């Protein structure tokens, strides 16, 4: 029986080890090593986010783009080095990311209080949540203990971050690759209820949908398309104009994004794609039939799930001193 008991113990230890990457994230991870860490983050966000409320959407997007490439490890923050390695920042999906300076300022405050303790990966996760809450959006739990990655490759960002031109099949595959299901896809897409987008991310739907100049996406409401062409994106190659993703409500975290989807007024092809599958369309309708509180709760669940994607914990990775460069 001792042999059997030993086997059981070893099997249990193996299970614990296999689950440790995710399991080592915990609420209040810094309660002893840097007791005021989360308060420092929250206080800074609350003091400054109202000067630039659009930062909430941009850092939420940064968090999403970070987690979809090598997990939530702040690899999206790394600068290209003198060796010529092209980092994630230079990948097409990330060229319009903003908020890096906001993250750097928070990290600087944390380094002043507790040098070498709080990871940049946790800073992104905490700032994203606190910024959304401060601007009227949902709260979600952010267990901490992530460590920072040391590898960042532009090609991996291009291959793993869902582009705005994605169809349903592509979206399902890219989300499934990260352990996210169709419900997560629909709920997390609801983040498009806030923020803005550059014309280049959807102008092909207006001017060049089939690859022939002058063709328009028939899935896009024709009146909405005409308005975009007349008042916003006046040419195929406009790379400066920005457009509200949820017109009339782009500063409010609400359900109007989903209402627009059913009116064929989702800005991106990837938004429209949610209505092309019976399961995701049903999920959209369920969210609209429910309350705003229900949407907030569903969004919180999916954000907590996303925030655990392939996290580095324990002795894996490092705690960067500066978020843009690996430690020397």
């Amino acid at each position: 029986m001792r042999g059997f008991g030993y086997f059981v113990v070893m099997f249990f230890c193996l299970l614990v080890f296999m689950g440790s990457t995710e399991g080592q994230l915990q609420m209040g991870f810094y309660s002893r090593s840097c007791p005021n860490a989360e308060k420092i983050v929250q206080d800074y966000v609350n003091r400054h986010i109202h000067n630039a409320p659009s930062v909430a959407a941009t850092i939420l997007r940064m968090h999403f783009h970070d987690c979809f490439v090598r997990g939530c490890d702040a690899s999206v923050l790394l600068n290209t080095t003198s060796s010529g390695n092209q980092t994630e920042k230079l990948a097409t999906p990330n060229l319009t990311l903003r908020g890096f300076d906001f993250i750097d300022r928070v990290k600087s405050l944390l380094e002043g209080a507790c040098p070498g303790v709080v990871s940049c990966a946790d800073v992104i996760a905490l700032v994203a949540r606190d910024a959304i809450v401060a601007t009227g959006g949902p709260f979600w739990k952010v267990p901490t203990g992530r460590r920072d990655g040391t590898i960042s490759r532009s090609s991996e960002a291009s291959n793993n971050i869902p582009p705005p031109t994605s169809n349903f099949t592509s979206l399902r595959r890219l989300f499934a690759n990260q352990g996210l299901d169709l419900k997560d896809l629909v709920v997390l897409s609801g983040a498009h209820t806030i923020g803005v987008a550059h014309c280049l991310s959807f102008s092909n739907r207006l001017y060049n949908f089939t690859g022939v100049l002058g063709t328009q996406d028939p899935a896009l409401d024709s009146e909405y398309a005409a308005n975009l062409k007349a008042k916003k994106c006046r040419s195929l190659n406009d790379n400066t104009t920005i457009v509200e993703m949820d017109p009339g409500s782009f500063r409010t975290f609400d359900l109007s994004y989903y209402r627009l989807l059913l009116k064929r007024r989702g800005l991106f092809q990837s938004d429209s794609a949610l209505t092309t599958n019976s399961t995701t369309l049903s999920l959209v309708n369920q969210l609209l039939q429910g309350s705003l509180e229900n949407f907030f709760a569903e969004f919180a669940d999916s954000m907590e799930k996303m925030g655990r994607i392939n996290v580095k914990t324990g002795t894996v990775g490092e705690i960067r001193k500066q978020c843009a460069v690996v430690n020397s």
Side-chain angles (χ1 to χ4, degrees):
M1 291 299 292
R2 287 180 62 191
F4 177 74
Y6 175 78
F7 171 78
V8 170
V9 170
M10 292 304 293
F11 180 69
F12 176 76
C13 289
L14 178 62
L15 287 178
V16 171
F17 174 77
M18 289 170 65
S20 65
T21 301
E22 180 176 305
Q24 288 176 18
L25 287 187
Q26 56 187 267
M27 298 302 295
F29 179 84
Y30 299 110
S31 59
R32 292 186 178 180
S33 58
C34 191
N36 292 322
E38 295 191 28
K39 185 177 187 303
I40 289 170
V41 176
Q42 187 179 56
D43 285 352
Y44 184 86
V45 169
N46 289 342
R47 280 198 311 272
H48 296 280
I49 196 68
H50 297 291
N51 297 327
S54 63
V55 169
T58 62
I59 293 181
L60 181 61
R61 181 171 174 240
M62 179 192 292
H63 186 27
F64 175 81
H65 284 207
D66 181 42
C67 291
F68 265 61
V69 187
R70 293 186 168 266
C72 310
D73 68 348
S75 54
V76 72
L77 301 180
L78 289 172
N79 287 338
T80 294
T81 62
S82 56
S83 65
N85 172 53
Q86 301 273 298
T87 61
E88 293 170 34
K89 273 187 178 180
L90 296 181
T92 299
N94 292 331
L95 292 177
T96 54
L97 280 185
R98 296 186 299 115
F100 295 107
D101 55 338
F102 198 97
I103 296 295
D104 287 341
R105 288 196 291 271
V106 173
K107 173 65 171 173
S108 179
L109 291 174
L110 291 166
E111 285 297 300
C114 314
V117 174
V118 182
S119 69
C120 298
D122 278 342
V123 172
I124 297 175
L126 289 167
V127 170
R129 190 272 310 277
D130 291 345
I132 292 298
V133 171
T135 51
F139 172 90
W140 63 90
K141 295 177 184 176
V142 180
T144 45
R146 297 167 188 79
R147 287 170 65 85
D148 299 324
T150 57
I151 298 171
S152 181
R153 298 188 180 113
S154 171
S155 59
E156 293 181 354
S158 298
N159 291 335
N160 288 286
I161 297 170
T165 54
S166 298
N167 59 24
F168 172 76
T169 302
S170 176
L171 287 172
R172 177 169 55 186
R173 174 179 58 81
L174 291 169
F175 270 69
N177 287 348
Q178 308 301 334
L180 299 174
D181 58 26
L182 293 183
K183 186 174 185 180
D184 298 316
L185 166 61
V186 171
V187 170
L188 292 174
S189 294
H192 290 174
T193 186
I194 57 172
V196 296
H198 287 77
C199 287
L200 270 183
S201 59
F202 61 89
S203 58
N204 67 304
R205 300 187 77 193
L206 303 175
Y207 295 105
N208 193 34
F209 186 65
T210 64
V212 177
L213 200 60
T215 55
Q216 186 172 297
D217 185 355
L220 185 64
D221 176 73
S222 57
E223 185 180 338
Y224 182 43
N227 181 273
L228 288 170
K229 290 163 80 171
K231 299 181 179 179
K232 297 290 184 179
C233 309
R234 299 175 189 270
S235 73
L236 176 63
N237 299 314
D238 182 338
N239 62 359
T240 56
T241 305
I242 56 174
V243 176
E244 298 171 7
M245 297 184 71
D246 185 357
S249 180
F250 78 108
R251 288 194 177 96
T252 307
F253 212 105
D254 56 21
L255 288 161
S256 62
Y257 163 78
Y258 296 110
R259 296 189 191 96
L260 291 175
L261 290 188
L262 298 187
K263 295 178 179 178
R264 299 192 301 126
R265 294 192 172 199
L267 196 58
F268 295 159
Q269 199 172 335
S270 58
D271 294 323
S272 176
L274 300 182
T275 66
T276 65
N277 172 266
S278 59
T279 301
T280 51
L281 179 58
S282 175
L283 288 165
V284 167
N285 280 301
Q286 286 174 40
L287 286 169
L288 284 172
Q289 290 162 12
S291 64
L292 182 61
E293 290 74 21
N294 174 68
F295 171 45
F296 277 21
E298 296 285 9
F299 190 82
D301 286 345
S302 290
M303 283 301 301
E304 290 169 27
K305 187 174 176 181
M306 188 191 83
R308 292 182 177 273
I309 294 174
N310 294 329
V311 292
K312 296 169 176 63
T313 61
T315 57
V316 181
E318 64 181 15
I319 305 298
R320 276 183 231 144
K321 295 172 184 174
Q322 297 179 38
C323 291
V325 293
V326 297
N327 296 339
S328 56

